[in-house]
Amino acid sequence: MPAACDSVLEDIEDIVSAEDLKPHDREFVRKNVFPKVRKRNSQKNIQTDDDPPSDSIIPGAQKIWIRTWGCSHNNSDGEYMAGQLAAYGYKITDNSDEADLWLLNSCTVKNPAEDHFRNSIKKAQEGKKKVVLAGCVPQAQPRQDYLKGLSVIGVLQIDRVVELVEETIKGHSVRLLGQKKDNGKRLGGARLDLPKIRKNPLIEIISINTGCLNACTYCKTKHARGDLASYPIEELVNRAKQSFQEGVCEIWLTSEDTGAYGRDIGTDLPTLLWKLVDAIPEGAMLRLGMTNPPYILEHLEEMAKILNHPRVYAFLHIPVQSASDSVLMDMKREYCVADFKQVVDFLKEKVPGITIATDIICGFPGETDEDFQETMKLVEQYRFPSLFINQFYPRPGTPAAKMHQVPAAVKKQRTKDLSQLFHSYNPYDHKVGERQRVLVTEESFDSNYYVAHNPFYEQVLVPKDPLLMGKMVEVNIYEAGKHFMKGQPVSDARVYTASITRPLAKGEVSGLTEVSK
């Protein structure tokens, strides 16, 4: 059957007029829409077209499978898109085979993630699924050959996902890649009060800003997310309060660089955090996202006070990427190793027990053996309990892709050497025998335990007792591994319910009013 529209439309307004009903308006007249009953053809030998013409399809009755790759920010976008689609009537399914449409939400940080994305597109097409593409890959490189003819929704347009899915199901190919502006000023993205389906009903992911102030030579995400654009403090606090009213007991703040928050709107991260801390109920917790060293340096005193607060995890993710100043200069990271050490040393002194996580890139263009040994010494010195090791992959269109590359075998060996160093120490052995307070929020990957976190956001596995989920409990640590501890609940200790109300059921849509429900 020929497509209803052979050309790619640059914006949905090309096919939707101002007089047409919007998805929100249709939601309340849906009950008056009745599908036309077709008579079955009694002649068995007559072949009929399985696909009805596009004008006879009723949007909102289809099943949609959503796959997200990448960071917490991307996961939050995926939750918002799922919520809007479900609120309109689409069924969100975990079964890709039964889905009518695949929504693929991509990550552009590494080549392997994009390879998985590309392979998923191919698989969807082979299975004759409708496809909508989202995330940083199509936003950064919308003209790639393998994206041609497919519907694309940009990272700042996720509030229009229902419109785009509707048209895709009808057979149209639509692209929404524009920026969001208010009086000429770039906005942080879609509204924070949109419906969403939390992957974990106990955890709310809040993007506090999009984009960043840097221009790292290896980064492709900048091409997709752009320059810094922060959400107003009031909107972020309101989103947090709404989450707590829906049973959330843990909030993750995320962005491409949380430390840069507010610089574009005349405020800063500590100011936001103090406002959020005031809104967090007893027993609930706040986890800060990744921050680059330059933007946290000037707020160290205030950040130490915030990280010592009982409702804030004493945890911070500060990527160093390399311990060589010459490599950092080639990366355009805008700090030196001494800056990173100053941040870590200060926080370790002022926030006893704090967990510092970091990232390292192995084999960046021009990295010498001496440069790499400096990185090895840094890891040996600080023995980071959480270390994300990345072999360098040149991303198309970035300055680093044009630099003289380190041989693949050398990159691989350096990655292996650093991994061996990381696995040579056990950061939690000395904690066996401790009594810790933990918040239980998840199930382990092997489904054998529940996952909790102590005040330093260290992972503690506890017995899979349904009564513990969403609770703040005290445990005795009896075993430690490389990435976790195991704890047994203390029998005489108080079990505290962290949520102030019953959490939403898994798959239930957040943010719906009683009328729309």
Side-chain angles (χ1 to χ4, degrees), residues 329-360:
M329 185 176 296
D330 289 340
M331 291 179 172
K332 287 193 175 179
R333 289 291 289 169
E334 299 185 8
Y335 60 86
C336 61
V337 179
D339 294 332
F340 174 80
K341 289 183 175 181
Q342 180 183 348
V343 172
V344 175
D345 292 343
F346 183 90
L347 292 177
K348 278 182 168 289
E349 178 187 351
K350 301 294 184 180
V351 189
I354 187 173
T355 296
I356 300 292
T358 195
D359 301 359
I360 287 174

Side-chain angles (χ1 to χ4, degrees), residues 1 133 196 215 343 418 456:
M1 174 183 172
L133 308 179
K196 73 188 299 187
V343 172
L418 185 57
F456 311 106

Side-chain angles (χ1 to χ4, degrees), residues 86-243:
Y88 183 58
Y90 291 103
K91 177 176 172 54
I92 307 301
T93 178
D94 292 329
N95 187 334
S96 60
D97 293 332
E98 73 173 17
D100 302 292
L101 179 143
W102 287 13
L103 197 166
L104 304 175
N105 188 19
S106 62
C107 171
T108 192
V109 172
K110 303 178 188 176
N111 286 8
E114 184 171 346
D115 291 341
H116 286 303
F117 175 61
R118 186 187 296 111
N119 292 337
S120 294
I121 294 173
K122 183 179 179 182
K123 186 176 180 181
Q125 292 170 325
E126 291 172 349
K128 300 191 182 304
K129 306 290 186 183
K130 301 288 186 181
V131 184
V132 168
L133 308 179
C136 291
V137 171
Q139 181 75 55
Q141 297 176 284
R143 290 181 173 80
Q144 290 193 88
D145 288 342
Y146 71 90
L147 303 179
K148 288 182 178 177
L150 299 175
S151 290
V152 173
I153 187 162
V155 296
L156 298 180
Q157 298 289 337
I158 61 172
D159 54 344
R160 300 178 66 186
V161 67
V162 171
E163 301 169 59
L164 190 133
V165 165
E166 277 193 339
E167 298 305 327
T168 302
I169 285 174
K170 291 178 182 177
H172 301 130
S173 178
V174 186
R175 292 195 166 199
L176 298 174
L177 293 167
Q179 302 290 319
K180 285 196 177 295
K181 295 184 178 181
D182 182 18
N183 295 323
K185 181 176 176 59
R186 184 169 179 266
L187 298 177
R191 297 195 334 264
L192 293 173
D193 60 352
L194 292 170
K196 73 188 299 187
I197 295 178
R198 299 185 183 96
K199 187 176 180 181
N200 184 334
L202 296 174
I203 298 175
E204 167 73 359
I205 306 172
I206 302 179
S207 171
I208 62 174
N209 56 266
T210 190
C212 69
L213 294 172
N214 297 336
C216 300
T217 55
Y218 57 82
C219 182
K220 192 73 177 176
T221 306
K222 176 79 172 188
H223 296 196
R225 299 282 181 178
D227 293 326
L228 179 69
S230 304
Y231 285 99
I233 288 178
E234 183 180 3
E235 291 182 22
L236 294 166
V237 172
N238 287 340
R239 180 69 208 184
K241 289 179 177 178
Q242 177 191 329
S243 303

Side-chain angles (χ1 to χ4, degrees), residues 169-394:
I169 285 174
K170 291 178 182 177
H172 301 130
S173 178
V174 186
R175 292 195 166 199
L176 298 174
L177 293 167
Q179 302 290 319
K180 285 196 177 295
K181 295 184 178 181
D182 182 18
N183 295 323
K185 181 176 176 59
R186 184 169 179 266
L187 298 177
R191 297 195 334 264
L192 293 173
D193 60 352
L194 292 170
K196 73 188 299 187
I197 295 178
R198 299 185 183 96
K199 187 176 180 181
N200 184 334
L202 296 174
I203 298 175
E204 167 73 359
I205 306 172
I206 302 179
S207 171
I208 62 174
N209 56 266
T210 190
C212 69
L213 294 172
N214 297 336
C216 300
T217 55
Y218 57 82
C219 182
K220 192 73 177 176
T221 306
K222 176 79 172 188
H223 296 196
R225 299 282 181 178
D227 293 326
L228 179 69
S230 304
Y231 285 99
I233 288 178
E234 183 180 3
E235 291 182 22
L236 294 166
V237 172
N238 287 340
R239 180 69 208 184
K241 289 179 177 178
Q242 177 191 329
S243 303
F244 293 129
Q245 291 298 326
E246 293 175 336
V248 162
C249 61
E250 187 169 289
I251 284 185
W252 296 357
L253 300 186
T254 184
S255 77
E256 283 64 58
D257 187 352
T258 58
Y261 170 80
R263 286 172 173 254
D264 58 319
I265 58 173
T267 186
D268 54 43
L269 181 62
T271 302
L272 167 65
L273 294 177
W274 283 124
K275 293 287 187 181
L276 285 171
V277 165
D278 288 342
I280 301 173
E282 184 181 355
M285 296 295 292
L286 174 71
R287 192 195 80 174
L288 275 63
M290 185 273 288
T291 176
N292 284 312
Y295 306 114
I296 207 72
L297 267 171
E298 63 192 76
H299 301 304
L300 284 180
E301 290 281 357
E302 282 300 297
M303 289 303 299
K305 294 176 185 176
I306 292 165
L307 291 167
N308 273 308
H309 194 282
R311 293 194 289 276
V312 179
Y313 285 116
F315 167 89
L316 204 57
H317 179 191
I318 315 170
V320 65
Q321 305 299 7
S322 173
S324 164
D325 284 343
S326 62
V327 172
L328 292 174
M329 185 176 296
D330 289 340
M331 291 179 172
K332 287 193 175 179
R333 289 291 289 169
E334 299 185 8
Y335 60 86
C336 61
V337 179
D339 294 332
F340 174 80
K341 289 183 175 181
Q342 180 183 348
V343 172
V344 175
D345 292 343
F346 183 90
L347 292 177
K348 278 182 168 289
E349 178 187 351
K350 301 294 184 180
V351 189
I354 187 173
T355 296
I356 300 292
T358 195
D359 301 359
I360 287 174
I361 296 174
C362 296
F364 185 82
E367 182 186 64
T368 65
D369 288 338
E370 290 75 18
D371 293 328
F372 179 67
Q373 287 307 312
E374 290 300 315
T375 298
M376 293 283 282
K377 290 177 184 176
L378 184 80
V379 174
E380 181 66 55
Q381 177 183 353
Y382 287 99
R383 294 184 164 240
F384 303 102
S386 182
L387 177 62
F388 302 96
I389 302 170
N390 303 292
Q391 181 175 316
F392 175 75
Y393 290 97

